[in-house]
Amino acid sequence: MIEYIKGELAELTPALATVEAAGVGYALNISLNTYSAIQGKKEVKLYVYEAIREDAYSLYGFANRKERELFLLLISVSGVGTNTARMVLSSLTPAELCNSISTGNERIIKSIKGIGLKTAQRIIVDLRDKIVALGIAEEIPAGGTLSAPVNNEVKDEAVSALTMLGFSPAPSQKVVVEILQAQPDATVETVIKLALKQIK
């Protein structure tokens, strides 16, 4: 399995990057996010997803791991293929996509070419907990506004401990963020004890 390809950026279009590594030119399908991130660079490192089918072998390249993780999550949703996932990541930044999923904003996801209402709803239902569990989404309250920054180290440790205790990541993270906003200096132990009393 190819983890990433690092080399000279030989050619670049908004949909395709050709990276030359050890004398071999690799054509990688990319999103507009990755295109913007690598434009103007001579040397690039792209994280890779290999799409292997009977009739085709395609490589998809991503400027960072977060975008690749989102791509993998998107193609795990029934009815979302590699081209649709790339279209989603070309239409929204990873942060915008995470925000739309965490706040259940099907209108934004449905506005992407090739995605209907049912697929948008499926993406939200299937991925809401997963993006929080993977730590690639910042917890966003139902109103859709970003919460005040909290101590991420304490937050991550507390959520991880609660998850190991059998609680779902999404509600755990929501409660932990609320506790840390009220008590920014709380220790991990304090946060976990308070969270255990609050998680439904």
Side-chain angles (χ1 to χ4, degrees):
M1 178 183 148
I2 301 171
E3 171 64 10
Y4 62 80
I5 293 173
K6 186 178 180 183
E8 185 190 333
L9 185 58
E11 288 175 32
L12 181 66
T13 71
L16 197 74
T18 303
V19 180
E20 185 178 326
V24 180
Y26 296 92
L28 298 119
N29 295 291
I30 57 169
S31 71
L32 283 176
N33 284 318
T34 291
Y35 173 73
S36 301
I38 64 174
Q39 204 174 7
K41 291 187 177 177
K42 285 199 170 92
E43 293 275 320
V44 293
K45 176 181 179 180
L46 292 178
Y47 291 91
V48 173
Y49 168 73
E50 298 171 81
I52 302 165
R53 298 199 312 267
E54 282 179 23
D55 58 341
Y57 175 67
S58 306
L59 297 176
Y60 288 81
F62 306 93
N64 55 53
R65 280 198 177 96
K66 181 174 180 175
E67 192 184 12
R68 182 174 65 178
E69 282 176 11
L70 279 170
F71 179 85
L72 293 173
L73 286 176
L74 285 166
I75 61 173
S76 74
V77 176
S78 172
V80 179
T82 50
N83 284 333
T84 305
R86 179 167 66 157
M87 182 66 73
V88 172
L89 290 168
S90 291
S91 307
L92 302 171
T93 65
E96 287 167 342
L97 177 59
C98 288
N99 295 358
S100 303
I101 292 170
S102 3
T103 56
N105 194 333
E106 59 194 36
R107 187 180 55 78
I108 286 183
I109 299 172
K110 189 170 74 76
S111 69
I112 298 163
K113 185 175 178 280
I115 290 192
L117 179 61
K118 279 195 175 147
T119 306
Q121 289 169 338
R122 210 178 294 129
I123 287 171
I124 290 165
V125 170
D126 286 7
L127 303 188
R128 190 180 256 159
D129 278 3
K130 289 179 184 172
I131 60 169
V132 174
L134 277 170
I136 53 177
E138 292 306 315
E139 182 59 29
I140 290 154
T145 51
L146 279 165
S147 45
V150 295
N151 185 328
N152 277 327
E153 208 172 306
V154 172
K155 180 192 78 175
D156 292 345
E157 270 190 59
V159 172
S160 174
L162 290 163
T163 307
M164 281 190 261
L165 289 169
F167 295 99
S168 295
S172 300
Q173 180 147 322
K174 189 168 184 289
V175 169
V176 166
V177 168
E178 283 166 8
I179 293 166
L180 282 170
Q181 282 173 331
Q183 303 178 39
D185 299 324
T187 62
V188 174
E189 291 79 8
T190 308
V191 172
I192 292 167
K193 281 176 189 166
L194 290 169
L196 288 172
K197 291 174 188 168
Q198 293 181 36
I199 297 175
K200 302 288 183 281

